[in-house]
Amino acid sequence: MSNEPIALSKALASFDALWSPRIVTRVNDYDVRVAKVEGDHLWHVHDDTDEFFLVLEGELRIALREPTGERTVTLPKDSVFTVPRGTEHKPSAPSGAKILVIEPTGTPTVGDRHDEIPAHVDATTGHRLDL
């Protein structure tokens, strides 16, 4: 981790891979990750942790399967949303987006339970940021 300020625009410009987050910093036991996303992720669940999303550019949609049924939240630029632990969800960005995600260090991007992982989704706990 850097002990210098990190420009998120520079961090995002340092890689091209979609659905493959880079860890920009850590806060206590949490990773702060940035990612470029486009198309669909996959249905998945984080059993023991919430997942925080901030949209930096574009628009992110998050489909949710809740006890009351399915719904989709739409997050335009500068919006935040937290998916509660144990909630099955599927992020998507039909026109592409750049996002910041906060979750405990070591949390897999595909959750604890998930659908089959498509080739375009990187099943990772986050990659080191190379600036």
Side-chain angles (χ1 to χ4, degrees):
M1 293 297 112
S2 174
N3 63 354
E4 295 295 325
I6 297 170
L8 294 180
S9 58
K10 186 175 179 181
L12 285 158
S14 72
F15 65 97
D16 292 318
L18 297 175
W19 301 109
S20 183
R22 300 306 189 266
I23 301 167
V24 293
T25 193
R26 289 201 170 96
V27 179
N28 298 317
D29 297 328
Y30 285 79
D31 287 344
V32 178
R33 305 173 184 175
V34 293
K36 295 177 181 179
V37 298
E38 187 170 352
D40 292 331
H41 196 260
L42 70 148
W43 282 104
H44 66 284
V45 177
H46 300 281
D47 290 326
D48 299 317
T49 185
D50 300 335
E51 187 172 16
F52 172 89
F53 292 88
L54 164 64
V55 178
L56 302 169
E57 289 183 27
E59 180 181 273
L60 182 70
R61 298 176 188 164
I62 304 174
L64 303 160
R65 290 181 176 153
E66 300 172 311
T68 56
E70 259 186 50
R71 71 178 175 117
T72 299
V73 295
T74 300
L75 298 126
K77 179 181 176 180
D78 297 331
S79 295
V80 300
F81 184 77
T82 300
V83 175
R85 70 190 72 208
T87 302
E88 192 173 9
H89 60 288
K90 179 181 180 180
S92 65
S95 299
K98 295 176 181 174
I99 63 174
L100 182 142
V101 178
I102 300 174
E103 47 196 352
T105 298
T107 300
T109 57
V110 295
D112 301 305
R113 295 178 282 120
H114 51 77
D115 284 350
E116 184 175 332
I117 302 170
H120 71 278
V121 171
D122 184 9
T124 180
T125 57
H127 297 283
R128 194 182 81 157
L129 181 64
D130 292 318
L131 292 178

